[in-house]
Amino acid sequence: MHTVLTRGNATVAYTLSVLACLTFSCFLSTVFLDYRTDANINTVRVLVKNVPDYGASREKHDLGFVTFDLQTNLTGVFNWNVKQLFLYLTAEYQTPANQLNQVVLWDKIILRGENAVLDFKNMNTKYYFWDDGNGLKDNRNVSLYLSWNIIPNAGLLPSVQATGKHLFKFPTDYATSSI
Ligand SMILES: *[C@@H]1O[C@H](CO)[C@@H](O)[C@H](O)[C@H]1NC(C)=O
Ligand SMILES: *[C@@H]1O[C@H](CO)[C@@H](O)[C@H](O)[C@H]1NC(C)=O
């Protein structure tokens, strides 16, 4: 015996499971796509200074100043399941103190429908490039690379790193001018 109420419930439950199924297949249809893309990164100006940190100790640490060019075409990353991209530029380097240092220098959100062909020239970083010691001066091997997190409509999608790194080195001397 079906009352109106139980019928209503069954309809709602059915609708929900159809929706869940659809969402899941949407997710499946995009989870295995290759989201990698080429990025062209270049440094324009590279300086390092030795300045007191904000901490209580006022110890002097290395602070890098980098301006960069960035070209990439992320149009192909936007399939229908991509709501937005969170792009970030990371600097990676080694120091005697740490095998691996990673510092995020810049980021940007690109919404679906916005221009995804990027061509930036001589950009300043958004975040400070601090080292926790004196690991930047005369560092011969710093790499810059672009990554993004995909914010999807459904499901979880991986964080992706663009192919194409840029290697650069810091000068052997501290810059003294006040910027
Ligand atoms: C960007 O990539 C898309 C396809 O992935 C292509 O149609 C478009 O022409 C490219 N734009 C530029 C400026 O290279
Ligand atoms: C530069 O550093 C990267 C890791 O950040 C490492 O894989 C690479 O071997 C280094 N290259 C040189 C020449 O030291």
Side-chain angles (χ1 to χ4, degrees), residues 73-77 116-117:
N73 178 359
L74 298 170
T75 314
V77 177
V117 181

Side-chain angles (χ1 to χ4, degrees), residues 92-93 141 143:
E92 191 177 299
Y93 61 100
N141 183 17
S143 60

Side-chain angles (χ1 to χ4, degrees), residues 47-82:
L47 289 180
V48 56
K49 295 188 171 195
N50 196 232
V51 291
D53 206 343
Y54 300 122
S57 65
R58 305 288 294 164
E59 231 176 278
K60 281 188 160 191
H61 290 169
D62 283 6
L63 178 60
F65 293 87
V66 173
T67 60
F68 63 95
D69 295 341
L70 169 67
Q71 282 122 32
T72 187
N73 178 359
L74 298 170
T75 314
V77 177
F78 277 92
N79 64 47
W80 65 270
N81 193 17
V82 175

